[in-house]
Amino acid sequence: MKLSGIKQGLTGRIRVPGDKSISHRAIMFGSLAKGKTVIHDILRGEDVLSTMQAFRDMGVAIDDQGDLVTIQGVGFSGLQAPQGPLDMGNSGTSIRLLSGVLAGQDFTVEMFGDDSLSKRPMDRVTLPLRQMGVTVSGQGDRDLPPLTLTGSKSLRPIHYQLPVASAQVKSALIFAALQADGESVIIEKEQTRNHTEDMIVQFGGHLSVDGKEIRISGGQTFEGQEVTVPGDISSAAFWLVAGLITAGSHIVLENVGINETRTGILDVIQAMKGQVSLSEVDPVAKSASLTVESSALVGTEIGGELIPRLIDELPIIALLATQAQGTTVIRDAEELKVKETDRIQVVADALNSMGADITPTQDGMIIQGPTPLHGAVVNTFGDHRIGMMAAIASLIIQEGQVTIERAEAIKTSYPSFFDDLERLSHG
C-alpha cells in the first residue's frame, strides 16, 4: 500500500471500533456465565474473532450479527474439549487468557498461532499455572506456541507476585484462580488495565483489590449480562496523534473508553502541551468524546507506573515525539520487545527510515524533535500498530511516498482504519 502526504488538515467526527481488551473479555465472561449475554458494539477485528471461534469450538453457542453478539453461556463446567487445535491467529490476549480459562478443565487442548504469535514467550503464564497444577508445554525454554495444556479440576490457589507489569498475565491467573480450591493472591508489579476485575463484578462475582494486591476466591459463578463496549482508546490514539501533528486539524472521536488504567496517552499529550478536550463524559460506562486540534508540542519523559497505562500506544507516541520540540525519553518499556514485534527496534527503524532521529535503548527510546519526515518502505512484520503508525506518519511527509508492506495486519484491531482515514481527509 502506497500513501502520500496530505495538503490539508483532518476534520470530522468518527467513532473508533470497540475496545479490543473489553471485547475479548466480554466474550470470555459471556461464555463462562450461566444464561444469555448480549454484547453491543463489539470489535470484530481478527484477534477478537479468534477468541469467539475458540469458545465456539468448545461448545458455546455464539450468534454474531455484526455489532450485536448474543452468547448462551455454559459456565466453567460446561466447556467441552474441542475437536482439534485452537487457532489463536495473531492474538496474544487470546492464547494467554485462554490458558487461564483452560487451567481448570480436565481435557487437553493445543493452541497455536501465526508466525508472529509463535515467537512470543508464554513462560510468564505457564510458570505460575504449573504451580497451580496445570500440565502445559511449549516450544523451547520460554514456552513459545504452540502450547499443549491439560488443566485440573483440583487447581491449587496461588500467592504470586508478577515479575512483569502485564494485564494479560494477571488476567490469565485470575481466570485460573476463579476455578481453584481456595483464595489466591496476585500482586502486580505496577497496576495494569483492570477490565477483567471490572467485568468480574459486572457479571456478579467478587474480588478484593487493595492497591497492587488482588485477592480472589475460587468456585464463583457468573450470570449473563448486557455489555456495551466503548471505543478503544488504543485505536483512538492514532487519530489523536494525527490531529496533533497535522496542521489545520480538528477531530472529534465519539464514545471512547476512558478507563483510568488506559488513559496514559492523555497524560502524555497534556505534558507535551497538546490540545485534547473531553465532553459527553459517562462515568458509569467510563467513556467520553475526545476533541483534538493541531498543536505546538514539546518533548517529555515517559516511564515508571505510566508505562502500563499506555504500553500499546507507545509506537504512535514515538511518532508524536518526532514532531515535538526537544527530547522525549521513553523508559521502563521492556515489555515492547515481546509484543507482536520487538516494537522498540521496529518503531525506531521505521521512523528513522523516514528521517526521524530515534535512538533505541534496552527499555525504550530517545527521540529528538522536531524532524521533517519523508517517504520510505515500512514493513509491518505482521504488527497492526506498526502499520497504523506508518499510515499516520505518511500524512506529514514532505516528499515521496510511504509504502506499507503487509498492511493487512491492520485488520487485526481496526478493520475500517483506511475508511476512517479517507473520511477525515475529506472533512
Side-chain angles (χ1 to χ4, degrees), residues 177-182 217-221:
L178 286 167
Q179 303 169 81
D181 184 15
S217 298
Q220 297 190 45
T221 57

Side-chain angles (χ1 to χ4, degrees), residues 26 42 44 78 80 100-101 173 224 227 232 277-278 297 299 333 355 371-372 388:
I42 200 165
R44 299 192 75 260
Q80 302 170 14
V101 171
L173 297 183
V227 179
D232 195 332
S277 60
L278 278 65
L297 304 164
T371 52
M388 287 185 280

Side-chain angles (χ1 to χ4, degrees), residues 270-289:
Q270 183 178 32
M272 297 179 77
K273 310 300 184 185
Q275 297 184 55
V276 175
S277 60
L278 278 65
S279 61
E280 302 173 303
V281 178
D282 184 334
V284 176
K286 296 183 179 180
S287 65
S289 291

Side-chain angles (χ1 to χ4, degrees), residues 7-198:
K7 302 277 193 292
Q8 60 189 28
L10 301 175
T11 57
R13 300 175 67 95
I14 61 170
R15 180 171 289 220
V16 298
D19 187 287
K20 186 153 73 87
S21 296
I22 296 175
S23 296
H24 278 297
R25 288 159 174 81
I27 293 167
M28 293 180 181
F29 278 99
S31 299
L32 299 170
K34 295 292 183 68
K36 183 170 75 172
T37 289
V38 178
I39 310 171
H40 302 270
D41 299 333
I42 200 165
L43 169 66
R44 299 192 75 260
E46 292 175 359
D47 280 10
V48 174
L49 295 179
S50 293
T51 292
M52 192 182 297
Q53 187 58 47
F55 279 97
R56 281 180 171 145
D57 291 345
M58 292 187 288
V60 179
I62 302 177
D63 181 25
D64 177 10
Q65 297 180 8
D67 288 341
L68 185 68
V69 172
T70 303
I71 302 174
Q72 300 297 331
V74 299
F76 280 104
S77 61
L79 295 178
Q80 302 170 14
Q83 296 299 306
L86 298 178
D87 184 356
M88 301 291 97
N90 187 240
S91 179
T93 301
S94 300
I95 193 169
R96 290 193 174 112
L97 271 61
L98 272 170
S99 295
V101 171
L102 293 167
Q105 307 299 315
D106 58 1
F107 49 77
T108 299
V109 175
E110 179 183 331
M111 294 180 284
F112 70 98
D114 65 9
D115 289 345
S116 173
L117 189 66
S118 299
K119 296 181 177 70
R120 298 178 69 178
M122 297 297 143
D123 54 346
R124 55 186 54 188
V125 171
T126 58
L127 290 173
L129 289 181
R130 288 188 184 110
Q131 294 179 31
M132 299 179 75
V134 178
T135 302
V136 57
S137 60
Q139 314 305 307
D141 295 338
R142 302 208 60 190
D143 286 336
L144 306 180
L147 293 182
T148 301
L149 185 150
T150 305
S152 170
K153 290 291 188 182
S154 304
L155 273 187
R156 295 185 291 272
I158 192 171
H159 190 293
Y160 192 73
Q161 186 150 1
L162 291 171
V164 294
S166 169
Q168 292 181 3
V169 179
K170 173 184 68 175
S171 297
L173 297 183
I174 287 175
F175 276 119
L178 286 167
Q179 303 169 81
D181 184 15
E183 183 183 71
S184 293
V185 180
I186 301 164
I187 303 170
E188 295 197 80
K189 183 177 181 180
E190 299 287 354
Q191 286 183 293
T192 60
R193 60 188 65 176
N194 61 358
H195 301 306
T196 301
E197 296 95 307
D198 282 354

Side-chain angles (χ1 to χ4, degrees), residues 296-427:
L297 304 164
V298 298
T300 190
E301 291 206 9
I302 305 166
E305 63 183 17
L306 186 59
I307 293 296
R309 296 177 56 227
L310 47 62
I311 189 71
D312 287 333
E313 290 75 73
L314 284 173
I316 194 65
I317 287 172
L319 171 62
L320 182 66
T322 70
Q323 302 308 300
Q325 186 70 45
T327 303
T328 295
V329 178
I330 299 172
R331 54 180 171 79
D332 305 320
E334 301 96 330
E335 185 72 8
L336 287 175
K337 293 182 176 181
V338 292
K339 291 291 185 177
E340 284 83 339
T341 56
D342 176 349
R343 284 183 178 160
I344 292 176
Q345 194 64 54
V346 172
V347 167
D349 288 348
L351 292 176
N352 284 342
S353 74
M354 300 172 71
D357 183 356
I358 300 179
T359 303
T361 64
Q362 282 297 310
D363 65 347
M365 307 171 212
I366 301 170
I367 306 167
Q368 306 293 342
T371 52
L373 301 183
H374 54 71
V377 177
V378 176
N379 191 328
T380 71
F381 299 100
D383 188 334
H384 54 126
R385 300 198 193 280
I386 302 301
M388 287 185 280
M389 178 197 73
I392 300 303
S394 76
L395 298 172
I396 59 169
I397 59 173
Q398 298 184 6
E399 59 182 28
Q401 290 183 313
V402 174
T403 300
I404 305 176
E405 296 182 342
R406 298 182 64 182
E408 69 277 2
I410 292 170
K411 295 179 182 178
T412 294
S413 64
Y414 202 152
S416 62
F417 176 81
F418 288 108
D419 293 334
D420 285 346
L421 177 59
E422 182 77 10
R423 187 175 299 116
L424 292 172
S425 297
H426 291 89

